[in-house]
């Protein structure tokens, strides 16, 4: 009987998979191009249908190692994306913190934008020293700070509401 429960437990605790993450130097600054893999739990989909908004975050941190002191934090950035459902228009709405707001007729189309976001400008052009190598840490998940209060108690005790990626670490040589 315990073996029958194991696939369900592992499925519920999967979280977010960071499938691809690349930092690009552009004229504006440094942009993150990433791809995430995740599925919403049944409870999250129900919360959306009842008018609750889900908030996802992406955090990125650039640090430069120093032999004489702690690592230097060059850039720390956070982006929030909200996903909501409008019952009257039967549209899913995705809003990326202050820049993009789009409506979709299906949940899959809305999740596609969250899973494959536009290239996010994480820092201005002069924020990194050209030629230096930086350690980059990236994470993405459901933001627990924005879980609606009636659901928060359930969310803290239920694996269905825990959706976070492992921190993906890689190096980037500033251009």
């Amino acid at each position: 009987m315990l073996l029958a429960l194991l696939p369900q437990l592992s499925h519920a605790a999967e979280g977010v998979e960071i499938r691809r993450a690349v930092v690009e130097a552009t004229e504006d600054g440094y942009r993150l191009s990433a791809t995430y893999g995740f599925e919403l739990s049944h409870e999250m989909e129900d919360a959306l249908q009842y008018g609750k908004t889900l908030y996802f975050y992406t955090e990125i941190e650039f640090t430069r190692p120093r032999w004489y002191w702690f690592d230097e934090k060059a850039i720390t950035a956070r982006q929030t994306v909200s996903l909501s459902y409008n019952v009257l228009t039967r549209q899913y709405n995705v809003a990326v913190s202050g820049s993009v707001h789009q409506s979709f007729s299906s949940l899959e189309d809305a999740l596609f934008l969250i899973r494959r976001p536009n290239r996010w400008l994480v820092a201005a052009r002069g924020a990194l020293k050209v030629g230096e190598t930086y350690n980059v840490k990236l994470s993405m998940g459901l933001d627990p700070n924005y879980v609606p209060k009636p659901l928060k108690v359930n969310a803290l005790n239920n694996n269905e509401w825990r959706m976070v990626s492992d921190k993906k670490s890689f190096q980037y040589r500033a251009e």
Side-chain angles (χ1 to χ4, degrees):
M1 187 164 166
L2 181 61
L3 292 175
L5 294 175
L6 287 177
Q8 293 173 348
L9 292 174
S10 66
H11 178 68
E14 279 182 32
V16 177
E17 175 190 0
I18 300 175
R19 294 184 176 158
R20 182 178 150 275
V22 176
V23 176
E24 304 166 341
T26 64
E27 292 176 3
D28 316 353
Y30 298 95
R31 293 189 174 271
L32 172 69
S33 179
T35 304
Y36 309 107
F38 65 89
E39 295 296 326
L40 295 182
S41 69
H42 182 67
E43 289 183 8
M44 289 179 198
E45 288 183 23
D46 285 349
L48 272 175
Q49 296 300 319
Y50 288 111
K52 303 299 180 197
T53 303
L54 300 178
Y55 293 89
F56 299 89
Y57 72 91
T58 303
E59 287 181 337
I60 190 166
E61 178 181 84
F62 289 75
T63 57
R64 188 170 57 99
R66 295 189 287 198
W67 66 272
Y68 60 90
W69 198 247
F70 297 111
D71 292 349
E72 173 192 7
K73 285 189 181 179
I75 299 171
T76 302
R78 181 180 175 103
Q79 182 181 52
T80 303
V81 177
S82 65
L83 172 64
S84 61
Y85 180 69
N86 187 328
V87 178
L88 295 176
T89 61
R90 296 185 183 186
Q91 296 280 312
Y92 290 91
N93 300 309
V94 176
V96 180
S97 54
S99 63
V100 176
H101 181 82
Q102 287 184 296
S103 297
F104 300 93
S105 58
S106 73
L107 178 58
E108 272 309 307
D109 291 342
L111 287 175
F112 184 81
L113 181 63
I114 297 171
R115 291 179 187 134
R116 294 178 177 269
N118 294 330
R119 293 173 38 226
W120 170 34
L121 182 65
V122 296
R125 186 71 176 146
L128 300 176
K129 294 179 183 176
V130 176
E132 293 286 330
T133 301
Y134 291 86
N135 296 323
V136 181
K137 290 183 183 173
L138 175 68
S139 63
M140 192 268 192
L142 183 69
D143 197 335
N145 297 326
Y146 291 106
V147 172
K149 291 203 187 278
L151 300 173
K152 201 166 234 178
V153 172
N154 187 30
L156 292 173
N157 296 322
N158 189 342
N159 283 341
E160 298 267 332
W161 283 91
R162 288 193 197 120
M163 185 178 359
V164 175
S165 70
D166 292 333
K167 287 198 180 216
K168 181 175 180 80
S169 298
F170 59 95
Q171 291 190 334
Y172 174 71
R173 186 171 179 87
E175 300 172 8

